[in-house]
Amino acid sequence: MKKEIICIGCPMGCYLTIDYDGKTIQNVSGNRCKVGLEYAEKEISNPERTLTSTVRVKNGHLPLVSVRTNKPLPKGRIFDTMDLLAKVEVEAPIKIGDQIVENLFGTGVNIVATKNVSHKG
Amino acid sequence: MSDFQSRVVDLVVIGAGPAGLAAAISAKKNGVNDLILLERNNWLGGILPQCIHDGFGLEVFQEPLTGPEYAQRYIDELKDLKIPCFLNSMVLEVTPKKEVFVASPEGLFCFIAKAIILAMGCRERTRGQICIPGSRPAGVFTAGVVQNLINLKNVMVGRDVVILGSGDIGLIIARRLTLEGAKVHAVVEIMPHTNGLPRNVQQCLIDYDIPLLLSHTVTEINGLNRVESVTISPVDENLKPIKGKEQRIPCDTLLVSVGLIPENDLSKAFGVELSSVTAGAIVKENLETSVHGVFACGNVLHVHDVVDFVTLEAERAGKSAAEYVLGKSQKMDRIHVETGDGIRYVLPQNICTDADLELSIRVLCPGESVSIGFFDDQKLVKTKKFVKVHPAQMIKVKLKKSEIMALKTLKVEVLQK
Ligand SMILES: Cc1cc2nc3c(=O)[nH]c(=O)nc-3n(C[C@H](O)[C@H](O)[C@H](O)COP(=O)(O)OP(=O)(O)OC[C@H]3O[C@@H](n4cnc5c(N)ncnc54)[C@H](O)[C@@H]3O)c2cc1C
Ligand code: SF4
């Protein structure tokens, strides 16, 4: 089978063509570096994305803190994670890198803060 | 303006987005100790705190950071260097004598500066500026405003959305709205190509099955109190809607994401010469504008797609302002850079020094295996080949001192195959 995707590894955005059979890759073309190759392999075996969103904050100088996954999350878990984050509320102060949710759905991926939020007042 | 307390200062930086932060840091590191940074918002970082997605910092830090994380690195450095920064301080006017009038909670100030760095960023073009006919119901927003509402204020704007404009901001907001539970029915783009980076088409649209309608535009907004639908239509090669091919998309929200305009009202009012193409100042390679001792960088100079380039440019502006303040000799403009076929703009517009130089170039159309030619008086003196070019991606080309010394004129053009 053939699949055409755009590499998200850097702003170059190479158009990759992947020849594969089930989960085995036969050939990748169009990539300009090895990041593209690894991305193509992942897209066939287990596509992953970094997810960024926000979480509500109690007693903060801002009502929300921005968050991200500390590593790419299996694509199929993105909406489950959004549902879960909608229920989370954290207490200020929060610092960049603070862990907000640990081990999402047993994937080993954590949610961490990407903004400092100080206590209100 | 006698109610203003005045103070003499070496350097004033206007705007504390990524450009202003990096410019102030660089000026200080290059020897300017008496400087201040002025920001009208009550936060530092400009637009970055609302850009919660990742992809910032690949060039400068070699790691993908989110907007707030990227900004924090510079905010921390600004604090370490003890650079004074006034928040909630709006610059009202600048004069050709480099007096900077500011309204702040502490009162009205006039800073009399040796040098000024303009780093005011840009604002979004609105529905009015592109003239979409129809009623004026609620539910029409610009993409940046929606990004601010969702990411900073926890306010959702609608359930069924159409987005006009496929620049990066439009693409990123399409994904964000989808993640937050809205249905994005289409991203509509008048051009035959997207104005966003290909990677954002993949990770923001294709990943979420959001249709991208190229060569289409919104011809009417329908609804009484709230948007009920928009009418879209394909366009011909002159970008005019083709009659009889209209189609209605029911929706409660239309986002307009049709470009940014450098925020140059202040600059224009005190005589800074602006380019009609970039809507930013005309600069030399040291980023000095037509007013001596006034420098510009970041989105107020030209709209950047990657914040890393904003930072790098701002660092150069900070260094140039430092050289000016410290009285290093200035050279005269020697060459005016002209643009030929296929080129939207080249920065700097004027070259004066005889040193190595980097040009920032934007092309008009996307293309593969494209050559860009550099002409001196009709004679091709240099060619640069690119595997791929895209209007959304700034091209950087280095010119060596020896190459510049040999030039009398310079014209940049896309070469015909
Ligand atoms: C909605 C939006 C989304 C974007 N998303 C991305 C992205 O995903 N990735 C990316 O790389 N780039 C993105 N960009 C572009 C990115 O924001 C710019 O590259 C970068 O922020 C430009 O930095 P800047 O400092 O020039 O401008 P800004 O960040 O806009 O900062 C300008 C600052 O100047 C202040 N200011 C203006 N006028 C005055 C005045 N009169 N007095 C005092 N202060 C003043 C403003 O309040 C603001 O804080 C986005 C831009 C916008 C508008
Ligand atoms: S293949 Fe390499 S160069 Fe091409 S987009 Fe991916 S990371 Fe960038």
Side-chain angles (χ1 to χ4, degrees), chain B residues 257-328:
Chain B
S257 179
V258 287
L260 304 170
I261 317 169
E263 186 106 56
N264 271 311
D265 303 325
L266 274 181
S267 333
K268 204 154 87 187
F270 77 100
V272 172
E273 215 179 303
L274 302 182
S275 148
S276 58
V277 185
T278 59
I282 294 178
V283 291
K284 309 179 199 175
E285 76 268 29
N286 68 350
L287 303 170
E288 188 176 24
T289 67
S290 62
V291 180
H292 276 306
V294 176
F295 301 81
C297 57
N299 276 359
V300 79
L301 178 58
H302 57 142
V303 176
H304 292 67
D305 23 83
V306 180
V307 76
D308 301 61
F309 290 148
V310 170
T311 300
L312 296 171
E313 185 176 271
E315 286 172 350
R316 286 201 292 125
K319 184 162 183 268
S320 301
E323 285 171 358
Y324 182 88
V325 167
L326 303 174
K328 297 211 177 128

Side-chain angles (χ1 to χ4, degrees), chain A residues 4-15 32 39 43 49-54 56 62-64 66-68 75 78-79 82 96-97 112-116, chain B residues 49-50 52-54 58 64-66 68-69 72 76 149-154 175-176 178-180 197-203 206-208 306 368 387-388 393:
Chain A
E4 299 200 345
I5 52 168
I6 304 165
C7 179
I8 59 171
C10 82
M12 193 73 178
C14 296
Y15 288 80
R32 288 200 187 88
Y39 170 72
E43 281 299 284
R49 292 289 184 269
T50 295
L51 176 67
T52 63
S53 190
T54 52
R56 280 170 298 132
L62 301 171
L64 294 174
S66 51
V67 298
R68 67 184 297 167
K75 233 170 142 180
I78 286 177
F79 282 98
M82 287 303 295
I96 287 180
V112 296
T114 59
K115 196 180 275 183
N116 296 336
Chain B
Q50 75 180 53
I52 63 164
H53 55 278
D54 77 330
L58 286 170
L65 298 172
T66 62
E69 290 170 301
Q72 195 60 44
D76 289 345
L149 289 170
I150 297 179
N151 293 346
L152 299 180
K153 307 208 170 74
N154 205 15
R175 172 178 63 183
R176 185 73 186 120
T178 307
L179 287 171
E180 289 294 341
L197 295 173
R199 67 201 290 236
N200 285 334
V201 174
Q202 175 71 46
Q203 59 185 354
I206 300 173
D207 273 8
Y208 297 94
V306 180
E368 302 225 353
V387 196
K388 233 170 98 181
Q393 250 169 315

